[in-house]
Amino acid sequence: MSAFPYILGIESSCDDTAAAVIQNHKILSNVIAGQKIHQSYGGVVPELASRAHQQNIVPVVSEALKQAGINPKQLSAIAYTRGPGLMGSLLVGSSFAKSLSMALNVPLIEVNHMQGHILAHFIEDAGNKKPRFPFLCLTVSGGHTQIVKVNNYFDMEILGETIDDAAGEAFDKAGKIMGLDYPSGPLIDKFAKEGNPEKFHFSKPKVDGLNYSFSGLKTGILYFIQNETKKNPEFVKENLKDLCASIQKTIVDILMEKLLKAAEQNNISQLAIAGGVSANSEIRNRLKALQENEKFEVFIPKFTYTTDNAAMIAMAGQLKFELRNFSEITEPTIAKYPI
Ligand code: KG4
Ligand code: ZN
């Protein structure tokens, strides 16, 4: 047996089937099979996602082991996403992980997907430096928008969260209104690069405390585009880049305002971002700009570790392995799993 254990991470909470091998906090392989099938539906179709996971899980895990240069018998533990996510999707990864841990007679480690996003910051090659506790993490994905106070690896408090849509959903729904494919976040990001963020103004929600709301913005965008399209059927086509830049700026403004408020209220100057929306170039730039005023220290994950991946699950698994925090095979998956 190697001096440092090899741990396999499996992620299947939404529409990506992913597997990764970690050793001593370094990622040896990180394999992801995306699912193009949802593109034209404007969102993930749960039934189709589960079926695709079934097809992908064996080849993805085999490839992750191959790229890591190990055979299954060298694994010391299997970590998997227990939730939150789509139940049918979670069941594929969890059942596979449980079977493999039984077959190999190695410990099973359950991981909370949202904690995984945050713990990706501790992967050895994740970026430059690692945050120190406590720090704040803005966790923004297709299903979640949370400001999390991270007191320790597995001691996290939600200071604020969305009361309706998630930030990723705001991107995806705005994209759908404009006729873009799912997921629209990366497309809006791309078109926004050549657009004018000041061209269109959308009203921002007024929500108490550190919570967020994005459903009003979605309705505002829908009515605005419907109205303009009545006057000019080519409105979206002619203004796509400016629309994308303006929508992106509004979403990022909303996100940043509460994050800064949380930092001030909690007197915490270390700010991190995580989750699919943290791949967004505007939010990354805004955080980098904060670093320049020296009041803040910011932590921006490597691009590969922003959207769903199994490296983050393997990382969380490694940290739990060190704590000997193992799971029972009888533990069910949890669709709504609090952080
Ligand atoms: O974390 P993630 O991969 O899956 C969930 O756990 O939900 O996040 C997916 C979300 C989608 O809503 C997608 O549109 C958004 O992240 N996203 C982006 C970008 N890349 C992915 N949103 C804005 N800009 C991006 N570059
Ligand atoms: Zn995610």
Side-chain angles (χ1 to χ4, degrees), residues 101-115:
S101 85
M102 277 176 85
L104 298 172
N105 197 20
V106 295
L108 178 71
I109 301 171
E110 60 93 39
V111 173
N112 177 304
H113 179 87
M114 300 312 293
Q115 290 194 349

Side-chain angles (χ1 to χ4, degrees), residues 138 140 144-147 160-171 173 202-221 247 250-259:
L138 174 66
V140 269
H144 292 79
T145 301
Q146 300 172 331
I147 298 175
E161 64 189 326
T162 182
I163 55 169
D164 42 55
D165 291 351
E169 252 176 306
F171 274 102
K173 288 181 177 172
F202 300 100
S203 50
K204 295 188 187 128
K206 289 183 183 57
V207 190
D208 287 343
L210 298 174
N211 284 338
Y212 290 108
S213 166
F214 287 100
S215 75
L217 175 65
K218 172 195 66 192
T219 315
I221 294 169
I247 290 168
T250 311
I251 296 173
V252 175
D253 279 349
I254 296 170
L255 290 172
M256 291 303 294
E257 190 197 317
K258 293 288 172 89
L259 178 64

Side-chain angles (χ1 to χ4, degrees), residues 170-241:
F171 274 102
D172 296 334
K173 288 181 177 172
K176 193 175 177 186
I177 294 167
M178 293 187 287
L180 301 178
D181 276 351
Y182 174 86
S184 307
L187 296 172
I188 292 180
D189 192 353
K190 186 177 113 195
F191 293 126
K193 289 199 169 77
E194 291 171 34
N196 173 7
E198 299 299 340
K199 178 86 176 276
F200 303 109
H201 292 272
F202 300 100
S203 50
K204 295 188 187 128
K206 289 183 183 57
V207 190
D208 287 343
L210 298 174
N211 284 338
Y212 290 108
S213 166
F214 287 100
S215 75
L217 175 65
K218 172 195 66 192
T219 315
I221 294 169
L222 177 69
Y223 288 161
F224 174 71
I225 290 184
Q226 277 178 346
N227 260 334
E228 294 301 316
T229 307
K230 267 186 213 147
K231 293 183 248 167
N232 169 16
E234 298 298 307
F235 175 74
V236 170
K237 207 169 149 202
E238 287 168 11
N239 293 280
L240 186 63
K241 290 172 180 169

Side-chain angles (χ1 to χ4, degrees), residues 309-328:
N309 64 87
M312 67 189 201
I313 304 302
M315 181 67 230
Q318 161 114 65
L319 293 166
K320 282 197 173 177
F321 186 88
E322 287 162 10
L323 297 167
R324 293 286 179 267
N325 186 351
F326 301 137
S327 312
E328 294 300 327

Side-chain angles (χ1 to χ4, degrees), residues 11 13-16 84 113-114 117 140-144 167-172 182-190 248 274-281 303 306-309 312:
E11 153 64 32
S13 65
C14 191
D15 60 340
D16 293 300
H113 179 87
M114 300 312 293
H117 272 301
V140 269
S141 71
H144 292 79
E169 252 176 306
F171 274 102
D172 296 334
Y182 174 86
S184 307
L187 296 172
I188 292 180
D189 192 353
K190 186 177 113 195
Q248 175 173 280
V277 180
S278 69
N280 183 265
S281 38
F303 200 74
T306 55
T307 47
D308 286 351
N309 64 87
M312 67 189 201

Side-chain angles (χ1 to χ4, degrees), residues 59-71:
V60 164
V61 169
S62 306
E63 185 60 24
L65 293 172
K66 190 172 149 205
Q67 287 185 18
I70 60 166
N71 68 58

